[in-house]
Amino acid sequence: MKRKFKLFATVASLCLSVALMAFGVYAATSVSYSVNGTVSYTMTDVLVTVTMKTEYVTDEHQGHADGAVTRLEYANSQEVDSYSSYNSSTNLPEGNGVHTADADINLNTSSAWKLTITVSTINPGGVEVALDDTTFGLAGSENYAVVGDASNSYETAITKGLDAQFVYYVYLKDATVAIPSTNFSIDLNITQYTA
């Protein structure tokens, strides 16, 4: 009888060990990230069209080092917002103020995203685009980063018939660390160009 009890206890202990190991593996693989982005355009007397699109890295879910995200291959381009500050049939302004768009970024889908904002104008004298917030609204200690491409030049004058593109990368630093609900913001200020 003692042998049967020892055998039963050994089998039960082994089953419990396997169950705990399986739970540990499940817990380690079920990391989620909740990051919401907002892009705001503050416009004053400008006739512009602003378009925002996102792209992300496919089949890759890992942490990224600073600077490496610009060399990744991005795909799945999707336009997430397009806004005109004027009526295209009359070329008259439809309002100043702030237009806000959600940056459709999901770090659970991919660990690296590219956000492209294109500004074009029909203002005869052109417009000027400036970045209002160089910190992107980040706390700095989160497990992700939002960086502007080195080719982004702010205080940029855009003349009639030309487009300017501003590129940002949103990426995960460590794929093993969850991100609780957090937000980032990119704020562009668009005004008439003055020489």
Side-chain angles (χ1 to χ4, degrees):
M1 188 69 156
K2 280 187 169 183
R3 277 186 175 172
K4 284 184 180 180
F5 178 74
K6 283 184 177 182
L7 179 64
F8 177 73
T10 303
V11 169
S13 175
L14 184 61
C15 288
L16 182 61
S17 297
V18 169
L20 288 173
M21 186 179 74
F23 179 74
V25 169
Y26 170 76
T29 59
S30 62
V31 177
S32 66
Y33 320 101
S34 180
V35 176
N36 300 307
T38 303
V39 179
S40 298
Y41 318 112
T42 303
M43 292 167 281
T44 308
D45 299 323
V46 291
L47 308 174
V48 294
T49 299
V50 183
T51 305
M52 181 172 60
K53 74 173 186 175
T54 59
E55 299 170 272
Y56 62 88
V57 174
T58 56
D59 300 326
E60 186 167 340
H61 208 82
Q62 63 181 26
H64 299 282
D66 292 343
V69 290
T70 60
R71 297 186 297 272
L72 297 175
E73 191 142 334
Y74 292 86
N76 301 303
S77 178
Q78 179 181 1
E79 186 176 295
V80 292
D81 187 60
S82 184
Y83 175 78
S84 289
S85 66
Y86 63 95
N87 183 313
S88 59
S89 60
T90 62
N91 288 345
L92 294 175
E94 290 198 322
N96 292 318
V98 177
H99 173 72
T100 302
D102 292 327
D104 194 13
I105 304 292
N106 185 349
L107 292 175
N108 293 297
T109 301
S110 176
S111 57
W113 289 75
K114 182 179 178 181
L115 177 66
T116 305
I117 301 167
T118 304
V119 181
S120 59
T121 184
I122 63 169
N123 274 73
V127 297
E128 190 168 77
V129 180
L131 182 66
D132 281 353
D133 183 5
T134 56
T135 64
F136 303 108
L138 293 180
S141 62
E142 300 297 337
N143 184 32
Y144 73 101
V146 181
V147 295
D149 189 282
S151 65
N152 290 350
S153 63
Y154 296 102
E155 303 293 333
T156 300
I158 304 167
T159 57
K160 182 179 176 180
L162 297 177
D163 293 346
Q165 286 191 336
F166 303 95
V167 178
Y168 300 91
Y169 297 94
V170 182
Y171 61 95
L172 191 60
K173 292 181 180 178
D174 184 351
T176 64
V177 179
I179 300 175
S181 184
T182 187
N183 300 299
F184 71 87
S185 61
I186 298 170
D187 303 311
L188 297 177
N189 187 25
I190 307 171
T191 58
Q192 286 194 55
Y193 178 74
T194 53

